[in-house]
Amino acid sequence: MHIMKAQNPRGIRNLSFQAYARSTNKKKPGMLLLTALTLLLLGISLAALFFQNSRKAPAGTACVYQDGKLLCEIDLSAVKEPYTFVVTSRDGGHNTIRVERGAIGIVDADCPDKLCQKMGMLKTSAYPVSCLPHKLLIKISAAGGSGLDAVAQ
Amino acid sequence: MKTKHLTILAMYTTIALTIFVVESLLPTLTPLPGIKLGLANIVTLWLLIYATKRDALAVLLMRIVLASLLAGQMISFAYSLIGGLFCFLAMAALFPLLGRKYIVFISIAGALFHNLGQIVTAVAILRSLSILAYLPVLTISGITAGAFTGFCAHFASKKLRKDQVWPL
């Protein structure tokens, strides 16, 4: 009885499903190729991520865009006193932006996910801050205009 | 028969919506937009295995419409709709080629295309390419989340007997 159970643990299962379960355990060359492809893509992304992090520099200027239009440009190195201002979107939503010396971030918003708020204060040029529901984007460029950003400018 | 079909699809939509709502209650790991598990995609994968592409698309579209009604913003509807359609097109194209054995890879491709669709939407809405800076992070999260979702669908379909699956 015990031997039979060990030989056929899925005895009660439907046959076609059993066949499916067996076939999924078989390693085929296609499986290896796809795994390699996935790992390659993962490697490329990790490399890109490390490249991004190595290229980040202290925040210099911040440009606030709404609907793709430039609202204002702030020189973060010249900020003496921290201040906040409110940007209202076309459909009535608002984002409160806080500006400090060398840092900018969204501190309050009425968008549903509040991801922009959770990103906190940004001190480097690695990522832009975005509030997708309110079509708001804050681009941060590096201080002193170094690296690729300087070339782009 | 037609009513039964409709009812079963409605039940699948309910499952997808429930998974979606429960997942949205989980705290986000990183504050970057677009990083999530996408567990509701299990239902789409499931329907690609056990039903037709048409049924899978119907349930996906109903889930997106209802989820947007629950979350309540037109703009997030655009993001989920385009992300969902990108994801579905990639998975529906790959499924006949690879088959259910490769469901994990189909899920990964779906997750990657979902994120790609959302980035393309963000580029179009914000009219700025700088949002592409999120692409490496979203690729890594897409592979991880897609693999997890794919394994969920894989093990669920391995564990269930045929009479435990709603016939379609």
Side-chain angles (χ1 to χ4, degrees), chain A residues 17 20 45 49 52 67 128, chain B residues 127 133-134 137 139 157 160 162:
Chain A
F17 272 64
Y20 165 54
S45 309
L49 199 66
Q52 267 182 338
D67 277 325
Chain B
R127 276 175 236 139
Y134 296 148
V137 185
T139 308
S157 71
L160 282 182
K162 195 165 191 183

Side-chain angles (χ1 to χ4, degrees), chain A residues 13 17 20 23-25 28 31 34-35 41 45 49 52 67-68 115 127-128 130 132-133 135 137 139, chain B residues 33 50 73 75 79 100-102 105 112 125-128 130 133-134 137 139-140 157-158 160-162:
Chain A
R13 298 282 151 93
F17 272 64
Y20 165 54
S23 64
T24 50
N25 290 333
K28 290 203 168 175
M31 203 69 95
L34 283 174
T35 312
L41 193 61
S45 309
L49 199 66
Q52 267 182 338
D67 277 325
L115 282 175
Y127 298 108
S130 60
L132 296 179
K135 302 178 187 179
L137 182 75
K139 271 197 241 179
Chain B
Y50 293 109
Q73 265 219 340
I75 196 83
Y79 284 103
R100 49 158 67 167
K101 261 182 275 180
Y102 294 88
F105 295 102
L112 287 173
I125 288 179
L126 297 172
R127 276 175 236 139
S128 163
S130 63
Y134 296 148
V137 185
T139 308
I140 294 166
S157 71
K158 260 178 89 170
L160 282 182
R161 273 180 281 127
K162 195 165 191 183

Side-chain angles (χ1 to χ4, degrees), chain A residues 43-57 126-127 147-148, chain B residues 136:
Chain A
I44 292 171
S45 309
L46 277 173
L49 199 66
F50 279 119
F51 177 70
Q52 267 182 338
N53 279 328
S54 68
R55 217 167 60 83
K56 75 179 174 190
Y127 298 108
L148 288 170

Side-chain angles (χ1 to χ4, degrees), chain B:
Chain B
M1 201 60 200
K2 206 163 177 292
T3 317
K4 193 184 171 191
H5 191 92
L6 197 69
T7 315
I8 290 172
L9 286 190
M11 291 299 283
Y12 275 120
T13 309
T14 315
I15 293 175
L17 202 58
T18 311
I19 295 174
F20 180 85
V21 169
V22 170
E23 194 197 315
S24 69
L25 294 176
L26 296 175
T28 44
L29 210 62
T30 51
L32 289 180
I35 294 186
K36 58 172 187 175
L37 273 174
L39 288 174
N41 202 33
I42 293 173
V43 175
T44 314
L45 290 167
W46 189 263
L47 288 172
L48 281 175
I49 299 175
Y50 293 109
T52 56
K53 285 176 197 166
R54 227 178 103 233
D55 292 338
L57 184 63
V59 169
L60 176 72
L61 289 178
M62 279 320 290
R63 194 255 296 167
I64 291 170
V65 169
L66 290 172
S68 296
L69 283 177
L70 289 176
Q73 265 219 340
M74 256 340 263
I75 196 83
S76 52
F77 175 68
Y79 284 103
S80 10
L81 184 66
I82 293 169
L85 284 179
F86 264 62
C87 170
F88 178 79
L89 288 176
M91 296 200 305
L94 280 177
F95 191 79
L97 292 175
L98 298 175
R100 49 158 67 167
K101 261 182 275 180
Y102 294 88
I103 201 74
V104 176
F105 295 102
I106 294 166
S107 170
I108 290 174
L112 287 173
F113 272 86
H114 177 272
N115 288 355
L116 192 69
Q118 292 206 316
I119 281 206
V120 168
T121 318
V123 166
I125 288 179
L126 297 172
R127 276 175 236 139
S128 163
L129 287 175
S130 63
I131 206 84
L132 289 176
Y134 296 148
L135 199 56
V137 185
L138 286 181
T139 308
I140 294 166
S141 88
I143 291 174
T144 321
F148 183 78
T149 308
F151 275 117
C152 287
H154 173 82
F155 288 119
S157 71
K158 260 178 89 170
K159 287 285 171 218
L160 282 182
R161 273 180 281 127
K162 195 165 191 183
D163 58 317
Q164 288 174 318
V165 180
W166 291 330
L168 269 167

